Amino acid sequence: MESSYPSSDTANVGNRNGEGMVDRLASTAHSAVDRVAATAGPALDRMRETAQHTADSLHSRVGNMGEMQTRAMTTARDYVRERPITSIALAMLAGMVIARWMR
């Protein structure tokens, strides 16, 4: 009487074919990961360099803005000391303009 189940020889052949397919899939996946890693590494390095350059640039600009603020304050202070009446008149005019805008 023949059984409807595969014989042990047939099961072993199917098992070996399955193992071969798993090995091929693993090899393909490994190759894909290697390609992605080879591409991602330089891209990450470029991103790091760009971020560092941007941070350095911003740091430099913040320093420049501090210097500009100091110069502006010094200029304004000198102007008020040299022309106090004109400074008061300009401040009053600015206040009137702002008050009109606020209506």
Side-chain angles (χ1 to χ4, degrees), residues 63-98:
N64 290 343
M65 294 205 47
E67 292 172 12
M68 288 173 53
Q69 179 185 7
T70 301
R71 275 188 268 135
M73 290 299 295
T74 302
T75 302
R77 187 179 307 120
D78 292 344
Y79 184 84
V80 169
R81 285 183 181 155
E82 291 171 7
R83 298 174 186 92
I85 294 176
T86 305
S87 299
I88 291 171
L90 286 173
M92 288 175 58
L93 179 62
M96 289 178 5
V97 168
I98 291 172

Side-chain angles (χ1 to χ4, degrees), residues 14-33:
N15 194 18
R16 279 179 276 175
N17 286 340
E19 288 174 359
M21 187 167 69
V22 169
D23 290 340
R24 284 192 308 272
L25 287 173
S27 176
T28 303
H30 185 68
S31 297
V33 168

Side-chain angles (χ1 to χ4, degrees), residues 39-82:
T39 304
L44 288 174
D45 290 342
R46 284 192 304 272
M47 285 175 51
R48 266 190 221 106
E49 290 172 8
T50 301
Q52 185 61 46
H53 176 70
T54 302
D56 292 344
S57 177
L58 287 174
H59 182 71
S60 173
R61 289 180 188 214
V62 166
N64 290 343
M65 294 205 47
E67 292 172 12
M68 288 173 53
Q69 179 185 7
T70 301
R71 275 188 268 135
M73 290 299 295
T74 302
T75 302
R77 187 179 307 120
D78 292 344
Y79 184 84
V80 169
R81 285 183 181 155
E82 291 171 7

